[in-house]
Amino acid sequence: MPIDRRELERLIPALRRYARGMTGDRSSADDMVQDCLVRALDNERQFRGENLPGWVFTILTNVVRSKMRSVRRQPQFSEVTDIAVGGDADPATRIAILAALSGLSEEQRQPFLLTAVEGFSYRETADMLDVPIGTVMSRIARARVALSERLDGAPVVPLRRIK
C-alpha cells in the first residue's frame, strides 16, 4: 500500500527527536532519520496500511541499532534542544534531564523515549523494539527509577497506560 507522504512528513520532528535522544548528536541523528525515510520509501510496498508511525519508528529503531553497534560508544549529550521537555522549560531543567538520560543504557533509553516523549503505548513500543511487553515495562520502570535518583526526586515525565 502506498505511504501517505504528508503523514510521513508530519512524523519527521518526532523521528528527529527520538534519534537525537538515542545518539546525542544532531548530525548523526539527522543522517539516521534520512536513512530511515529512504528505507521507508524504498520499501513502501511492505507497508500494510496500518500504523504508519509504528512502522517508521521500527525502521528508525533498526537504523539506530545498526549505527550504534558500528560506533560502539556511549552517546554524549551535547545539545539542549528538542528532547524530553517542552521548549518553555528553563535551561537548567533541560540540562539536568539530558544528563540523566545520558546515564541510561540504550535498552532503557529507547523504550523510555518512545513512550514518555513520543507517546507510544507499551504495546506499540514492544512491537517496535521486537521485545515482549513485560520487557518494555521493566526497562521503563528501571529507567524511571534511575532518572528519579539522578534528578533527586524530581517528577519524571508521566508514561501512558498499556493499550
Side-chain angles (χ1 to χ4, degrees):
M1 169 172 264
I3 294 173
D4 179 351
R5 303 300 201 264
R6 285 175 285 194
E7 186 178 357
L8 185 62
E9 186 177 335
R10 285 190 294 271
L11 291 174
I12 292 173
L15 294 167
R16 292 177 78 194
R17 224 180 4 256
Y18 175 61
R20 286 180 188 162
M22 290 306 301
T23 65
D25 178 61
R26 180 181 293 248
S27 178
S28 294
D30 288 346
D31 289 345
M32 289 179 197
V33 169
Q34 181 175 344
D35 289 349
C36 167
L37 294 172
V38 167
R39 288 180 190 189
L41 293 171
D42 284 349
N43 296 298
E44 74 179 303
R45 66 188 167 282
Q46 294 177 4
F47 179 58
R48 303 278 186 255
E50 296 179 15
N51 193 7
L52 181 63
W55 187 69
V56 175
F57 269 88
T58 299
I59 293 170
L60 181 57
T61 295
N62 291 329
V63 168
V64 169
R65 282 180 181 162
S66 176
K67 299 279 185 183
M68 297 212 32
R69 235 181 271 126
S70 68
V71 172
R72 297 276 189 220
R73 65 174 171 81
Q74 278 293 82
Q76 298 296 314
F77 289 89
S78 59
E79 298 181 27
V80 187
T81 58
D82 300 333
I83 300 174
V85 293
D88 56 345
D90 74 277
T93 300
R94 295 175 70 101
I95 290 169
I97 291 171
L98 289 171
L101 281 171
S102 71
L104 296 177
S105 69
E106 179 182 347
E107 284 183 342
Q108 292 175 354
R109 195 168 49 250
Q110 278 181 327
F112 184 81
L113 290 173
L114 286 169
T115 55
V117 178
E118 300 307 330
F120 289 104
S121 70
Y122 286 6
R123 168 62 51 211
E124 291 168 321
T125 299
D127 291 343
M128 284 180 229
L129 299 177
D130 196 28
V131 297
I133 194 169
T135 301
V136 167
M137 293 168 70
S138 66
R139 288 177 182 176
I140 290 172
R142 286 193 302 270
R144 290 184 65 157
V145 167
L147 289 172
S148 269
E149 289 172 356
R150 288 183 177 94
L151 296 172
D152 296 322
V156 177
V157 180
L159 300 178
R160 294 178 63 178
R161 293 178 186 250
I162 299 172
K163 288 186 181 177

